[in-house]
Amino acid sequence: MGTTIVLYPSPGMGHLISMVELGKLILKHHPSFSINILTLIPSFNTGTTAAYVHRISATFPAITFHHLPDIPLDPSPYPSMEATIFDLIRRSNQNVEHTLLSISQSSNINALIIDLFCMPAKFVASNLNIPVYVFSTSGACCLAQLLYFPTLHKNTNISFKDMNTLIHSPGLPPIPSSDMVGPLLDRNSSDYTDFLEFCIQYPNSAGIIVNTFESLEPKVLKAIRNGECVPDGPTPPVYCIGPLVAEGGDGSHDCLNWLDLQPKGSVVYLCFGSLGVFSSDQLKEIAKGLEMSGHRFLWVVRTPPSNKKEDRFLKPPEPDLDLLLPDGFLDRTKDKGLVVKTWAPQVPVLCHESIGGFVTHCGWNSVLEAVRVGVPMVAWPLYAEQRFNKVVLVEDMKLALPMDELEGGRVPSTEVERRVRQLMESEEGKAIREVAAMMKKEAAIAMSDTGSSRVALSKLVASW
Ligand code: UDP
């Protein structure tokens, strides 16, 4: 019988892609394993994973996908998208068990790797004596915060959103309570209760795999390994195997031809992850700010969010730029800027030598994609753990300038202009550019044959 590693990402393309990259990494360096991936594709999710899964299966025969049976759920009564997904994951435990048993007929399962949200599956695997590892698709700073969260929970009975104070956690810069990881803000929400349950279970895994590298987050990794984040029990081994970045993207996209024509390091790239959206007023403020800055830009624009709750799982329509952007904006800026509708091939864009800076929502994949190629950032967080990441990027890593918002979250055009100029023209911009260049070198060293991320991967595999 061969040996296999089973990966179980939570629903959503981002989670799936990260896990597939982890599987590819394992296979590349340890080809004696096979990889089985459990996928949970909810019926209410209109995104298409089928084409992606098909492509990976065709290119990597050692990767096999197992689609867990869909459990029909009506998302409308749930308080949040996360709550729906967590319930689906819980209810899928029996299907996970069946699939693990079926895989074990033909292979020895050496480990099950789950992401944080799939924590309920840990009990299934433990019953089958399969060691469970957790894959943190955010950085070590976020991991530390989540590991320490049950301790913070015990020490207070006020919601972070109502505290108006700084939160001190081992290895981390002080975090304004309102910038804590999104789902932890409100003690009375179901997301808070779910996260608490997951975070309590986190240290009970056989190991934690993190998509980061040692020299990016040394202080917090030391605190985690010293056991400071889990004061009342042991901390499992932490394996930093990154930066793991999904290569690819449409290399023939028009925006890359446009970038070819721009001077080196001259273009500011603005993109806000797979879900980032702005109101039409905010889009107009960004447009004005970019125009006033006078700098070149490549900007990914999406249709503003719908107010209807039932639309939250639907793919939004293409944006109507003439309607959304200020009158004459596209014409006036046609020599300096390019607006791309909905989606740009971000990895090739960030690798392009004409990119000089990145206004980002601070999603961890975006951060690593920029760090890996030495692009300095302006941090404009929108959802999930992004406000937390912003504090870390600005205060600790010195890789980003902050985009400051007004009360209510609005960012005026003058702030957009100021930060773009600061990034591209000022001493502060120069300073973060230098740190970014240094981290690019560090990332390459970490991923080299004898680098820390390769050594961590070998140790992880040895533990199987
Ligand atoms: N992405 C992209 N083009 C876009 C927007 C996003 O290629 O127009 C990719 C980006 O390169 C990254 C992922 O989508 O790999 C977004 O992941 P991240 O963790 O940054 O944010 P999330 O979407 O999970 O909030």
Side-chain angles (χ1 to χ4, degrees):
M1 279 221 275
T3 45
T4 192
I5 306 301
V6 180
L7 312 182
Y8 183 23
S10 54
M13 202 54 186
H15 297 270
L16 177 63
I17 292 176
S18 297
M19 276 288 192
V20 168
E21 289 303 315
L22 178 62
K24 282 160 60 179
L25 182 78
I26 295 168
L27 284 179
K28 181 170 170 204
H29 297 282
H30 302 273
S32 62
F33 287 103
S34 66
I35 299 289
N36 283 277
I37 303 183
L38 314 187
T39 55
L40 192 52
I41 303 168
S43 52
F44 52 81
N45 187 335
T46 51
T48 57
T49 44
Y52 173 76
V53 166
H54 183 75
R55 184 162 59 81
I56 297 295
S57 308
T59 329
F60 298 92
I63 299 182
T64 308
F65 289 87
H66 302 261
H67 301 295
L68 299 178
D70 183 36
I71 299 175
L73 277 188
D74 173 10
S76 42
Y78 288 90
S80 66
M81 182 155 85
E82 285 79 6
T84 324
I85 302 242
F86 297 158
D87 197 31
L88 185 65
I89 290 170
R90 275 193 205 96
R91 292 184 192 208
S92 295
N93 261 357
Q94 212 179 8
N95 294 330
V96 172
E97 184 175 10
H98 286 320
T99 313
L100 290 175
L101 285 171
S102 144
I103 295 170
S104 64
Q105 301 289 308
S106 53
S107 304
N108 289 317
I109 303 178
N110 284 28
L112 172 71
I113 303 178
I114 58 179
D115 67 29
L116 178 65
F117 304 148
C118 289
M119 214 45 125
K122 182 181 168 295
F123 301 101
V124 175
S126 301
N127 285 340
L128 299 174
N129 284 325
I130 300 170
V132 175
Y133 292 72
V134 186
F135 181 35
S136 165
T137 49
S138 198
C141 283
C142 185
L143 168 65
Q145 189 65 83
L146 295 179
L147 288 172
Y148 197 62
F149 166 49
T151 305
L152 291 172
H153 169 79
K154 265 187 261 171
N155 292 342
T156 179
N157 48 21
I158 307 171
S159 288
F160 293 123
K161 73 176 175 51
D162 302 323
M163 274 182 192
N164 198 15
T165 182
L166 290 172
I167 306 293
H168 297 273
S169 305
L172 293 175
I175 307 286
S177 46
S178 54
D179 289 342
M180 283 295 272
V181 176
L184 312 187
L185 287 174
D186 181 0
R187 280 177 96 87
N188 299 316
S189 69
S190 71
D191 288 354
Y192 184 98
T193 315
D194 285 330
F195 264 74
L196 185 61
E197 200 184 301
F198 301 156
C199 292
I200 289 170
Q201 288 304 325
Y202 229 148
N204 298 331
S205 53
I208 303 176
I209 306 162
V210 196
N211 191 7
T212 189
F213 53 103
E214 295 286 336
S215 47
L216 183 63
E217 304 182 85
K219 196 165 116 207
V220 77
L221 283 164
K222 191 164 167 225
I224 296 173
R225 291 189 176 120
N226 280 346
E228 293 168 50
C229 300
V230 189
D232 52 1
T235 302
V238 172
Y239 305 96
C240 301
I241 49 80
L244 207 53
V245 166
E247 298 295 346
D250 177 7
S252 60
H253 196 286
D254 279 351
C255 72
L256 296 168
N257 301 331
W258 181 82
L259 283 174
D260 286 342
L261 305 174
Q262 310 308 316
K264 193 174 168 194
S266 69
V267 178
V268 180
Y269 169 59
L270 300 93
C271 184
F272 302 86
S274 55
L275 299 172
V277 280
F278 293 107
S279 68
S280 56
D281 284 351
Q282 184 64 77
L283 287 173
K284 289 189 178 64
E285 291 295 318
I286 298 175
K288 275 192 232 161
L290 287 174
E291 193 174 353
M292 292 187 305
S293 81
H295 283 281
R296 291 169 202 273
F297 63 85
L298 173 62
W299 178 21
V300 182
V301 171
R302 299 229 166 86
T303 300
S306 158
N307 294 329
K308 291 192 209 135
K309 204 177 166 197
E310 61 272 25
D311 285 353
R312 67 187 169 179
F313 294 108
L314 297 178
K315 198 168 171 231
E318 284 274 282
D320 180 343
L321 298 182
D322 292 328
L323 201 73
L324 291 168
L325 304 178
D327 275 349
F329 169 79
L330 289 173
D331 201 38
R332 288 194 303 277
T333 57
K334 66 178 185 304
D335 296 331
K336 286 241 155 143
L338 184 69
V339 174
V340 173
K341 288 182 186 179
T342 309
W343 194 261
Q346 179 161 300
V347 171
V349 164
L350 283 170
C351 291
H352 200 287
E353 63 170 17
S354 66
I355 295 294
F358 180 20
V359 180
T360 172
H361 75 315
C362 307
W364 191 247
N365 289 305
S366 294
V367 168
L368 286 183
E369 286 159 12
V371 166
R372 198 185 57 130
V373 290
V375 174
M377 290 168 268
V378 173
W380 186 343
L382 299 175
Y383 53 92
E385 89 290 19
Q386 294 153 13
R387 300 181 78 87
F388 171 88
N389 287 346
K390 172 189 173 182
V391 181
V392 170
L393 283 169
V394 172
E395 304 297 334
D396 212 36
M397 297 179 179
K398 315 280 184 214
L399 282 166
L401 301 168
M403 188 71 89
D404 289 336
E405 59 187 26
L406 302 173
E407 195 88 18
R410 200 175 76 92
V411 174
S413 56
T414 46
E415 173 68 1
V416 175
E417 177 196 5
R418 181 170 82 102
R419 292 305 183 181
V420 167
R421 282 185 187 275
Q422 204 179 18
L423 177 70
M424 302 301 279
E425 300 166 12
S426 77
E427 284 304 312
E428 289 103 321
K430 196 166 155 225
I432 63 161
R433 196 170 300 280
E434 281 166 8
V435 178
M438 189 181 75
M439 272 306 146
K440 174 183 173 178
K441 287 193 194 135
E442 292 287 337
I445 294 171
M447 292 300 261
S448 67
D449 284 344
T450 51
S452 61
S453 295
R454 284 288 172 274
V455 172
L457 181 67
S458 300
K459 283 189 185 157
L460 172 66
V461 171
S463 78
W464 300 334

